Amino acid sequence: MAEFTKQDIGKLLAKQGILIAFAVFIVGFTIANPKFLTIDNFENVVRSSAILGVMALGVTFVVISGNLDLSVGSMMSFSTIVVLDLHDKLGPTLAIPAMFAMTLCLGAFIGILVGYLKLNSLIVTLGMLSAIHGLTLTYSGGKNIDIADKEGTWFAIFGQGNVMGIQTPILIFIALAALLGIILAKTPFGRKVYAVGGNGTAATFSGIRRARVVFLCYIMSAFCVATAGLIQASRSMGSQNTVGQGLELEVLAAVILGGASLLGGSGTIFKTVIGVLILGFIQNGLLLVGLDFSVQYVVTWVIIILAVWLDIAAKRGKLMSPIA
Amino acid sequence: MTDETPVLRLEGIVKTFPGVRALDGVSLSILPGEVHALMGENGAGKSTLMKVLGGIHQPDEGQIIVEEKPVVMSGPLDAKAKGIVFIHQELSLADELSVAENIYLGELPRKRFGLVDWAELEAKTKAILEKLKVSFNAKTRVGDLSIANQQMVEIARALTVDAKAVIFDEPTASLTDAEKVVLFEVISDLQEQGVGIAYISHRMEEIFKITDRISVLRDGQYQGTVNTAETDEEGVTQMMIGRKLDLSRNESHHELGDVALEVRGLSCGDLFQDVSFEVRRGEVVGFYGLVGAGRTEIAETLFGLRDPTAGTILMDGEEVRIHSPYDAIERGISLVPEDRKGQGLVLGMNCRDNMTLPQVDDLKAGPFVAEGAEIAIFDQYRDKLDIRTPGWKQLVGNLSGGNQQKIVIGKWLSMHPNVLIVDEPTRGIDVGSKAEIHNLLRELAAQGYAVIVISSEMPEVLHVADRIVAMYSGRIMRTFTSEEVTEENLIAAISGLETEKVA
Ligand SMILES: Nc1ncnc2c1ncn2[C@@H]1O[C@H](COP(=O)(O)OP(=O)(O)OP(=O)(O)O)[C@@H](O)[C@H]1O
Ligand SMILES: [Mg+2]
């Protein structure tokens, strides 16, 4: 047996830190509450993570291209409110495409600001976070929106239906993950997203139209947000103006937990899915062991910090280093 | 010399990376006051050996011995504290900081309460900069400096401590001749103070000018050490690559075709003015001049990265407007840029993906990237350019400097352009591969490409070009054919001593 030095352990922790931490969590939760490791609970976790997961898929594109999207939470509230409101006015068949179109417009707007005008994505999307919230409030007049006739519509299938025993939110998440995973890993567009995030100047020198790639990443993100809003609306059939509030940070946490670098150029859809599940399991575990819901906010923050630290540590191959 | 105690000794150093045995039991000693050259092909392990010395990599086996005491170098600052200073092949400066801050990074002079003593910092920096005879001052932001000046800042870092040994890894790759002279003065000063110097370069003329001994690595293995005075270029090359090198010029006497590219009265602000020239199919045109003469800027304008303020560009006799690299590539222009790390490569991407990046839209199988076709392209250029890598999956950032440069060249050759522009194409490339690349450029011309070679190395332009355009301060001074050019009249032209003549 090779001797383990302190340095080796540091290296191992840095490289596989997230998975090790996750394993420790799982063992701990299972001891605390045997219900944790059951198929029922597993399905429960995946279902409750589906909305966050769908949004994380789109944000993965944005993050790999070297940008941020902090507007997804309030954009999701917007989509949810709009589709619920239009449902009663236009009927579901028209309401859904109309809501997608409006959400994509928001995405396009951000894409133009960040991609073509080259404004800082943190500033732009942070601004959009509150701007879109304002837009939603104006749209709804600040009131909760409910579908009047909850029984007489097929709208519930996206959030409450199931196909062969698998719930639709889970199916949508899996299908979208597969589709976007293939786009990112296998198409020329995906390749360009990595290039733009990895080294924007070199991408330009290679004839890649950077602005366009960034623009399309925000369109992808908006599409995912619209899908998430649809699931949310269909599940609850009625909503407050603030359903998506705070989700942007959880989404970002999931993406970073999966191992995408905030500097851009690395990450995959598969890793993001893993990140979403890890976050879901931890939050679910905390609930099962009886921690208060409010504590979760703090824990989520701790997880983000841990993830970012391990992200840097993995790059330099040790946990602490005198140089950055 | 053998009776002196070496300042620095390496014994049986082994360093492996996944799939590569970069160093295989290398031993080496550096004496006080000597300049010790380290030579070898691209990927032979020179930089890795020096990184082990500088505390950046830990060796798997072997020992570092400073003044006969075994030491462990835990990191670059530790190495510096032990008197070993490392000047990197790849620049490692902080763009946003000033020259002074970069030079003293990690050890800024302090006042009470840990505040930085700015006055002292500036005074110390000023003294060093004076020695280096540079034109910028202590407060300049490093990001605003040219690559050559950034290299000078890197060199200045060596002068801040009482070094026992200084390692220079290809310091002259982007320096002008005047700056080289200053560097060599600095080196001989250090030498007189008894500092041992390790010097890596692919430029034979430098090696024979300033070094005392030469050690050679091949594929991570130590090949031996010779006294510089007792060998010659051929001998060293033989040790490096195990065979002789054919350096004869490829005099392909092919017919010149039509004019592929014509530039009339092109200007871009105060970068260059009223530039006119033409390049025919089958022709290699060299652009020679000092750094800052505007050659790179002309290339960038042709490639759509800058908008000209006046003048026209014609391709195959037709006026074209090129607004972006995308347009340029559409029209069959390729540019091998001068800065491989900043402009040429995505370091976190693998070799194959980097090489096919400009044509990824055209390599499709249905909606997907045709990975088989990509691998075929990669394999073809790996063999053609002799790129050393364990496979296409290797991240480009893990390749040696010269091999990275070869990836950039392969990337643009594989586009089969009409007009190929190469800017300092052989920067950091070993002698063997350099000759290969020169031959390749002439071969491409013979196949009907129009080739523009921008270079600061006179032997390079003399060797590959059919015609040479001499530039000085943003203007074309004279155009030479390969028959009429001599070293003297070329130097006269690029220093602005000769006014324009019709060639
Ligand atoms: N961090 C790394 N990870 C994996 N392989 C590496 C790493 N650093 C170097 N190598 C490999 O080690 C070998 C030696 O590289 P090194 O940079 O020392 O070459 P070099 O002699 O300096 O070449 P050049 O003249 O091109 O600069 C190469 O095959 C390179 O790919
Ligand atoms: Mg090297």
Side-chain angles (χ1 to χ4, degrees):
Chain A
M1 241 316 281
E3 238 181 275
F4 259 109
T5 63
K6 215 170 139 197
Q7 206 179 13
D8 288 335
I9 295 173
K11 231 185 222 170
L12 188 72
L13 257 183
K15 276 216 175 114
Q16 308 295 343
I18 298 276
L19 287 180
I20 294 171
F22 185 45
V24 172
F25 268 117
I26 293 218
V27 173
F29 287 142
T30 312
I31 294 169
N33 188 338
K35 248 199 252 158
F36 183 71
L37 215 59
T38 59
I39 300 209
D40 268 357
N41 191 46
F42 185 79
E43 195 178 355
N44 186 20
V45 168
V46 180
R47 198 206 50 227
S48 58
S49 304
I51 290 180
L52 182 122
V54 165
M55 290 160 72
L57 299 176
V59 171
T60 303
F61 278 80
V62 174
V63 168
I64 293 175
S65 79
N67 294 299
L68 284 175
D69 193 347
L70 294 179
S71 69
V72 290
S74 66
M75 201 188 284
M76 195 273 254
S77 308
F78 174 81
S79 307
T80 308
I81 292 292
V82 166
V83 78
L84 286 171
D85 176 68
L86 293 183
H87 179 276
D88 285 3
K89 290 180 182 152
L90 306 174
T93 337
L94 282 179
I96 296 170
M99 177 275 277
F100 267 81
M102 289 164 80
T103 313
L104 290 182
C105 281
L106 292 177
F109 183 62
I110 299 176
I112 288 169
L113 295 183
V114 178
Y116 290 93
L117 300 186
K118 304 203 163 47
L119 303 180
N120 180 297
S121 67
L122 178 75
I123 310 279
V124 169
T125 59
L126 201 56
M128 285 302 275
L129 185 158
S130 48
I132 296 175
H133 183 55
L135 193 66
T136 312
L137 287 176
T138 317
Y139 185 93
S140 67
K143 295 190 296 283
N144 291 357
I145 307 273
D146 280 284
I147 291 180
D149 179 10
K150 293 195 171 99
E151 304 304 317
T153 172
W154 52 267
F155 187 70
I157 57 165
F158 302 105
Q160 301 169 33
N162 71 73
V163 179
M164 292 185 305
I166 307 176
Q167 301 170 7
T168 27
I170 299 181
L171 280 179
I172 294 175
F173 180 38
I174 293 173
L176 205 56
L179 178 70
L180 295 186
I182 289 172
I183 290 181
L184 187 58
K186 297 287 173 195
T187 65
F189 172 70
R191 188 71 64 74
K192 291 186 217 168
V193 173
Y194 282 106
V196 165
N199 182 349
T201 311
T204 305
F205 271 75
S206 302
I208 292 173
R209 287 172 287 184
R210 222 159 127 186
R212 200 167 146 137
V213 172
V214 171
F215 176 82
L216 287 173
C217 285
Y218 279 103
I219 293 285
M220 299 280 230
S221 181
F223 179 82
C224 291
V225 168
T227 309
L230 179 63
I231 299 173
Q232 173 65 39
S234 162
R235 190 157 91 187
S236 56
M237 303 300 268
S239 175
Q240 302 170 335
N241 289 287
T242 53
V243 268
Q245 204 171 48
L247 271 185
E248 56 280 334
L249 280 187
E250 284 185 46
V251 165
L252 200 59
V255 173
I256 302 297
L257 269 175
S261 164
L262 276 181
L263 297 174
S266 72
T268 64
I269 289 291
F270 178 72
K271 286 180 178 173
T272 292
V273 171
I274 300 287
V276 168
L277 293 181
I278 292 179
L279 195 65
F281 270 110
I282 290 175
Q283 292 184 340
N284 164 274
L286 292 175
L287 275 185
L288 283 187
V289 297
L291 267 186
D292 195 67
F293 192 71
S294 54
V295 180
Q296 284 205 10
Y297 287 105
V298 181
V299 173
T300 308
W301 178 82
V302 171
I303 291 169
I304 297 177
I305 297 298
L306 203 69
V308 173
W309 178 39
L310 288 172
D311 174 45
I312 305 169
K315 279 207 190 85
R316 59 185 180 218
K318 45 183 158 175
L319 289 178
M320 304 242 211
S321 155
I323 45 171
Chain B
M1 288 226 274
T2 40
D3 46 328
E4 285 176 88
T5 42
V7 276
L8 193 66
R9 216 143 55 80
L10 292 166
E11 255 175 28
I13 302 282
V14 175
K15 177 74 196 172
T16 52
F17 297 107
V20 198
R21 201 169 173 83
L23 295 172
D24 195 0
V26 177
S27 303
L28 193 74
S29 63
I30 294 172
L31 302 173
E34 79 161 338
V35 180
H36 194 129
L38 194 55
M39 300 200 68
E41 289 178 283
N42 294 132
K46 305 177 298 291
S47 297
T48 306
L49 186 64
M50 294 301 123
K51 282 180 188 164
V52 166
L53 247 183
I56 295 162
H57 290 320
Q58 294 304 322
D60 300 344
E61 284 170 37
Q63 265 192 331
I64 305 170
I65 299 160
V66 177
E67 291 180 332
E68 297 305 311
K69 283 189 284 289
V71 294
V72 173
M73 301 287 183
S74 64
L77 283 179
D78 184 35
K80 205 169 175 182
K82 294 192 168 90
I84 314 294
V85 182
F86 187 6
I87 293 158
H88 288 266
Q89 173 174 23
E90 310 292 346
L91 295 170
S92 56
L93 302 172
D95 277 357
E96 293 300 325
L97 298 183
S98 71
V99 168
E101 286 166 302
N102 265 288
I103 293 177
Y104 284 95
L105 203 63
E107 44 203 2
L108 295 168
R110 303 283 173 170
K111 288 192 296 200
R112 266 181 308 156
F113 310 125
L115 294 174
V116 174
D117 188 341
W118 294 109
E120 158 122 8
L121 176 65
E122 206 185 324
K124 277 170 123 179
T125 307
K126 217 171 146 197
I128 291 175
L129 294 183
E130 259 161 32
K131 208 187 277 178
L132 290 174
K133 304 192 181 81
V134 290
S135 58
F136 51 90
N137 66 39
K139 285 183 178 159
T140 317
R141 199 182 76 104
V142 161
D144 295 334
L145 296 176
S146 68
I147 302 217
N149 280 334
Q150 291 188 11
Q151 186 70 54
M152 294 308 271
V153 174
E154 188 84 52
I155 290 165
R157 288 161 86 165
L159 306 179
T160 61
V161 288
D162 280 329
K164 294 195 182 79
V166 181
I167 302 160
F168 290 93
D169 195 351
E170 298 193 34
T172 52
S174 47
L175 294 190
T176 61
D177 290 331
E179 287 160 331
K180 269 181 227 167
V181 171
V182 177
L183 173 68
F184 295 159
E185 277 170 19
V186 170
I187 290 179
S188 85
D189 277 355
L190 289 170
Q191 223 177 335
E192 269 162 35
Q193 294 160 23
V195 177
I197 287 159
Y199 189 87
I200 301 177
S201 173
H202 290 295
R203 300 198 171 152
M204 289 287 186
E205 69 285 0
E206 290 170 10
I207 298 288
F208 282 93
K209 193 165 155 195
I210 68 164
T211 70
D212 302 309
R213 295 197 296 164
I214 302 173
S215 291
V216 177
L217 293 181
R218 192 197 303 165
D219 293 331
Q221 281 171 343
Y222 174 67
Q223 299 292 312
T225 302
V226 291
N227 288 333
T228 309
E230 290 158 20
T231 186
D232 56 11
E233 290 193 18
E234 217 169 287
V236 177
T237 312
Q238 180 98 33
M239 274 173 94
M240 277 169 59
I241 61 180
R243 62 185 156 85
K244 283 200 182 146
L245 202 61
D246 178 17
L247 284 172
S248 62
R249 175 178 156 111
N250 175 355
E251 285 290 359
S252 42
H253 282 294
H254 50 275
E255 291 292 304
L256 292 190
D258 299 331
V259 175
L261 175 76
E262 187 180 351
V263 169
R264 284 192 203 141
L266 201 67
S267 301
C268 181
D270 47 12
L271 295 169
F272 58 86
Q273 295 85 37
D274 197 21
V275 166
S276 304
F277 63 92
E278 57 178 46
V279 189
R280 292 175 177 274
R281 289 185 193 285
E283 190 180 34
V284 181
V285 175
F287 274 70
Y288 187 65
L290 300 173
V291 169
R295 298 164 303 160
T296 295
E297 289 74 14
I298 292 176
E300 288 176 350
T301 308
L302 292 174
F303 199 60
L305 288 155
R306 293 174 189 276
D307 279 328
T309 45
T312 48
I313 301 169
L314 294 91
M315 291 189 74
D316 297 318
E318 215 178 290
E319 184 173 343
V320 293
R321 291 191 177 280
I322 302 167
H323 296 293
S324 66
Y326 179 83
D327 290 348
I329 291 168
E330 289 277 283
R331 299 191 184 279
I333 303 178
S334 276
L335 170 67
V336 173
E338 77 176 324
D339 173 9
R340 62 170 168 262
K341 252 174 108 186
Q343 304 166 331
L345 297 167
V346 183
L347 292 178
M349 228 181 201
N350 67 42
C351 295
R352 180 200 71 184
D353 294 1
N354 262 290
M355 198 177 272
T356 57
L357 196 54
Q359 50 182 322
V360 67
D361 270 326
D362 301 324
L363 293 173
K364 276 202 293 201
F368 304 125
V369 183
E371 299 194 10
E374 287 189 285
I375 294 172
I377 291 177
F378 173 77
D379 285 344
Q380 186 190 345
Y381 284 89
R382 182 195 55 204
D383 296 344
K384 212 174 208 165
L385 298 169
D386 189 22
I387 299 173
R388 309 278 170 92
T389 158
W392 63 261
K393 290 184 182 152
Q394 180 73 296
L395 297 185
V396 162
N398 288 340
L399 296 191
S400 80
N403 284 303
Q404 290 180 2
Q405 181 68 19
K406 291 180 184 179
I407 297 271
V408 184
I409 293 177
K411 165 172 161 179
W412 290 106
L413 290 189
S414 67
M415 296 293 291
H416 302 293
N418 297 320
V419 177
L420 173 66
I421 309 172
V422 293
D423 195 350
E424 307 288 355
T426 56
R427 182 175 280 170
I429 285 193
D430 67 49
V431 275
S433 305
K434 202 165 180 169
E436 283 302 312
I437 287 172
H438 290 164
N439 282 336
L440 198 60
L441 289 174
R442 297 217 44 90
E443 211 174 281
L444 291 172
Q447 288 167 21
Y449 291 41
V451 183
I452 296 177
V453 178
I454 299 172
S455 176
S456 304
E457 281 183 63
M458 190 182 303
E460 180 158 272
V461 278
L462 291 176
H463 194 70
V464 297
D466 297 309
R467 280 191 300 132
I468 297 173
V469 174
M471 289 197 64
Y472 169 73
S473 166
R475 290 181 182 276
I476 292 183
M477 302 310 287
R478 185 172 165 188
T479 303
F480 299 87
T481 64
S482 57
E483 286 82 39
E484 62 192 10
V485 69
T486 63
E487 288 197 13
E488 291 74 36
N489 59 19
L490 192 52
I491 289 176
I494 62 153
S495 356
L497 299 177
E498 195 174 350
T499 45
E500 190 162 3
K501 285 182 199 163
V502 184

